[in-house]
Amino acid sequence: MLVKWIRCTVVDRRGFERGQRKWAGLLGEPGFRAQGGGWSRAAPSVVHVFAFWESRAFYDSFMARSHDRLHAAQAGTYRDLRTKLFDYRFDVKTGFEPRFSDADVLRVAHCRVHADRVEHFAHMQEKVWNPAMAGSPGMVRGLFGEAPGHEFVVLSMWQSAQEFGKYRADRVERLSVRAQTDADVASVTGDVVELEPSWTI
């Protein structure tokens, strides 16, 4: 599965949201699985959208044929667009499905990892971070993905911002020490996204 992460700063909120509804046209696309997203809790004008495709081949076909037509409805409503593609590596918790209906917030963490620490980082994600997140009340599902250049994304969906906040306050520092995260990671950025149900396709 291919995961596309889109970030941008919205300058015309009403126009952007109107254009966002046009992406319902993705439903007829071969290989399209789901799309959802919402507004950053930290920066209210920033949007994060996540799209899921069965494979890179299906995604490339869509980009060559239909993307520009669907995208036209949002032209001029945002700036600073950034996109990144990740290949799915494994679940955080079990049985990941690209569904958004049972979560209120999504946490995205983007990690750039030192080349000689990639395998250790992935191993720690599987053996330390995943069990801790999977055992946290309010954590619904998640995934771990990889992009070229030793970049990784961890997506986790939560029933509420409060539940995620409890996990972060109680456990993150201790887990980070145990997983030797500081030795693995060159940089990490992240955000908490308030999911917008009307954007889910």
Side-chain angles (χ1 to χ4, degrees):
M1 184 167 59
L2 186 75
V3 183
K4 183 177 186 177
W5 176 21
I6 305 145
R7 282 172 293 180
C8 63
T9 302
V10 172
V11 296
D12 172 5
R13 189 168 178 133
R14 187 173 294 175
F16 182 88
E17 292 194 309
R18 196 166 49 239
Q20 195 62 30
R21 290 193 285 275
K22 302 283 189 189
W23 290 100
L26 283 165
L27 286 171
E29 289 293 329
F32 173 73
R33 299 277 304 276
Q35 181 169 288
W39 299 92
S40 164
R41 285 177 61 87
S45 60
V46 170
V47 157
H48 298 266
V49 175
F50 301 89
F52 300 85
W53 293 82
E54 285 177 22
S55 70
R56 180 67 188 253
F58 280 123
Y59 170 74
D60 286 345
S61 173
F62 160 72
M63 291 299 291
R65 290 178 299 99
S66 309
H67 173 270
D68 291 356
R69 175 175 49 80
L70 293 173
H71 172 258
Q74 280 178 314
T77 65
Y78 63 84
R79 59 181 171 80
D80 302 332
L81 179 73
R82 286 180 285 173
T83 63
K84 194 89 191 166
L85 299 174
F86 296 88
D87 288 312
Y88 164 90
R89 275 196 54 175
F90 50 76
D91 292 350
V92 177
K93 214 161 179 175
T94 55
F96 179 82
E97 295 174 35
R99 286 191 295 114
F100 297 86
S101 57
D102 52 357
D104 282 344
V105 298
L106 182 150
R107 162 69 176 169
V108 55
H110 179 214
C111 305
R112 297 177 192 274
V113 176
H114 298 297
D116 60 337
R117 301 286 292 187
V118 164
E119 286 314 311
H120 181 266
F121 176 76
H123 183 68
M124 289 297 102
Q125 182 65 41
E126 218 165 358
K127 300 300 181 193
V128 175
W129 291 102
N130 282 13
M133 269 196 276
S136 295
M139 194 277 187
V140 181
R141 68 179 66 81
L143 68 76
F144 181 75
E146 182 174 8
H150 320 305
E151 291 187 45
F152 297 86
V153 69
V154 183
L155 299 182
S156 56
M157 297 184 190
W158 298 78
Q159 287 172 353
S160 69
Q162 289 76 18
E163 295 291 355
F164 172 68
K166 281 188 234 170
Y167 161 76
R168 185 164 57 185
D170 294 348
R171 312 184 77 173
V172 165
E173 198 170 324
R174 183 165 44 82
L175 292 167
S176 187
V177 170
R178 189 170 152 213
Q180 302 172 20
T181 303
D182 288 349
D184 291 347
V185 171
S187 69
V188 59
T189 56
D191 210 345
V192 178
V193 183
E194 293 268 9
L195 293 172
E196 177 56 62
S198 66
W199 297 4
T200 298
I201 301 163

